């Protein structure tokens, strides 16, 4: 095997490594500041749209509960004022990163609804049985938990913590490898046009593949496999996943366009110098 053939093979391998490193770097760098970041997770989850949907469902469910009792829905709906839904959603999301109860169901919440019910009944001279009101309070607390709280979220904290470590390491390693491969290719070709094109071509191929791949993930709805409940929370998670994939697509396109533009500039410059 001649030196030129060996050089081409090594250059091809380095270009492939550069492309792979570009893919890993783009994905891991963006994931580090999105999926694996606690503040980003909470802010993306507790949106105004989700708050409005939760309040709407709470009102509908408490209206149904009021038909089963002598207590108007507005009594139960006071929870939306005393415990603002947006803050409750943030608390549920924050609890994913701690050992607190992300379902938001507790005896304190049951007592809260019990006291609201008793206050209304006594204020209107309506007789009641404590056991009956206790059951009503439990139903009201469960409705609140099923609508605002997070369910099936066990293990998310551990997975996010593990992903944060993996993404951080992958970002650094992929950058260093690409940084080493890029000049190596150019040096092998003595900084000729072909050397530049192979070096930049790896970045172009990697960023292009990342853009296409993440866009396909959005189209195919990969995030729909999330098992979070209730359904409106799952929809919010899927939407957040799609946003992250689109962010990766956006930056990948920018890198790809920049690489292609650099190749055009180098092509014109070296041709003029020749």
């Amino acid at each position: 095997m001649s030196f030129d053939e060996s050089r081409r093979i090594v250059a091809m391998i380095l270009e492939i490594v550069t492309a792979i490193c570009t893919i890993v770097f783009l994905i891991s760098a963006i994931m580090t500041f999105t999926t694996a970041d606690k503040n980003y997770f909470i802010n993306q989850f507790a949106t105004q749209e989700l708050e409005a949907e939760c309040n709407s469902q709470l009102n509908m469910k408490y209206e149904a509960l009021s038909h089963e009792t002598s207590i108007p829905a507005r009594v139960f709906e006071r929870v939306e004022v005393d415990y603002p839904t947006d803050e409750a959603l943030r608390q549920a999301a924050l609890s994913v990163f701690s050992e607190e109860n992300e379902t938001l169901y507790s005896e304190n919440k049951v007592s809260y609804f019990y006291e609201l019910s008793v206050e209304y009944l006594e204020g209107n001279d309506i007789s009641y049985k404590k056991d009956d009101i206790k059951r009503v309070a439990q139903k009201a607390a469960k409705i609140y938990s099923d609508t605002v709280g997070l369910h099936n979220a066990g293990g998310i904290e551990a997975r996010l913590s593990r992903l944060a470590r993996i993404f951080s390491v992958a970002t650094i390693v992929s950058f260093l490898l690409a940084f080493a491969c890029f000049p190596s290719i150019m040096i092998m070709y003595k900084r000729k046009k072909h050397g530049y094109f192979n070096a930049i071509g790896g970045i172009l191929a990697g960023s292009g593949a990342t853009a296409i791949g993440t866009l396909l993930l959005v189209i195919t709805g990969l995030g729909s496999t999330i098992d979070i409940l209730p359904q409106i929370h799952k929809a919010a998670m899927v939407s957040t996943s799609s946003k992250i994939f689109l962010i990766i697509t956006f930056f990948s396109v920018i890198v790809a366009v920049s690489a292609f533009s650099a190749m055009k500039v180098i092509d014109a410059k070296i041709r003029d110098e020749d």
Side-chain angles (χ1 to χ4, degrees):
M1 182 181 294
S2 66
F3 175 75
D4 287 341
E5 290 176 340
S6 300
R7 183 181 61 184
R8 282 195 295 269
I9 292 174
V10 173
M12 184 179 297
I13 293 173
L14 290 174
E15 185 176 355
I16 293 173
V17 172
T18 302
I20 294 174
C21 287
T22 301
I23 294 172
V24 173
F25 177 79
L26 285 168
I27 294 175
S28 59
I30 294 173
M31 286 293 193
T32 298
F33 296 102
T34 54
T35 303
D37 182 74
K38 178 172 69 175
N39 292 328
Y40 182 87
F41 177 85
I42 294 173
N43 291 332
Q44 289 297 312
F45 176 74
T47 61
Q48 292 182 345
E49 292 79 8
L50 182 58
E51 176 192 0
E53 181 62 27
C54 285
N55 285 337
S56 175
Q57 291 203 16
L58 282 175
N59 295 343
M60 179 179 64
K61 293 175 182 178
Y62 285 143
E63 187 66 37
L65 181 60
S66 72
H67 293 322
E68 302 175 13
T69 66
S70 57
I71 304 172
R74 68 175 184 275
V75 174
F76 305 116
E77 290 168 2
R78 273 184 55 184
V79 70
E80 298 170 21
V81 178
D82 295 337
Y83 298 92
T85 305
D86 61 332
E87 294 180 7
L89 287 170
R90 293 181 68 85
Q91 177 187 342
L94 183 61
S95 297
V96 170
F97 296 89
S98 64
E99 296 182 356
E100 296 180 18
N101 181 14
E102 68 271 10
T103 67
L104 303 182
Y105 184 88
S106 65
E107 286 303 317
N108 287 338
K109 196 70 72 182
V110 173
S111 298
Y112 166 78
F113 283 110
Y114 181 86
E115 292 172 3
L116 284 181
S117 302
V118 169
E119 179 183 347
Y120 168 79
L121 294 171
E122 291 182 350
N124 290 273
D125 296 325
I126 300 174
S127 60
Y128 63 89
K129 294 181 179 179
K130 290 184 177 181
D131 288 343
D132 291 340
I133 301 305
K134 182 66 177 292
R135 283 192 289 271
V136 171
Q138 290 171 339
K139 285 184 179 181
K142 189 174 188 306
I143 287 174
Y144 187 80
S145 171
D146 291 345
T147 306
V148 184
L150 274 170
H151 297 264
N152 287 354
I156 288 183
E157 177 192 3
R159 289 198 295 271
L160 289 177
S161 178
R162 185 168 61 252
L163 285 175
R165 292 192 298 270
I166 292 173
F167 288 142
S168 297
V169 173
T171 301
I172 296 172
V173 172
S174 60
F175 176 80
L176 292 176
L177 279 175
F179 185 80
C181 290
F182 190 87
S184 297
I185 297 173
M186 292 191 297
I187 291 173
M188 288 180 61
Y189 284 92
K190 298 179 181 179
R191 300 183 181 275
K192 292 181 180 179
K193 181 191 297 185
H194 196 60
Y196 280 109
F197 275 23
N198 274 274
I200 300 175
I203 297 176
L204 178 60
S207 55
T210 305
I212 294 172
T214 50
L215 188 59
L216 286 175
L217 289 176
V218 174
I219 295 173
T220 56
L222 181 64
S224 58
T225 57
I226 297 173
D227 293 329
I228 293 293
L229 291 175
Q231 193 63 34
I232 53 175
H233 290 8
K234 176 179 178 177
M237 292 287 189
V238 171
S239 176
T240 298
S241 298
S242 296
K243 289 177 184 177
I244 293 172
F245 290 140
L246 287 175
I247 290 173
I248 297 174
T249 302
F250 174 74
F251 281 102
S252 298
V253 169
I254 289 178
V255 173
V257 171
S258 299
F260 181 76
S261 299
M263 292 174 73
K264 296 290 288 183
V265 170
I266 291 171
D267 182 37
K269 183 178 179 180
I270 293 180
R271 184 172 59 243
D272 291 338
E273 290 177 353
D274 292 341

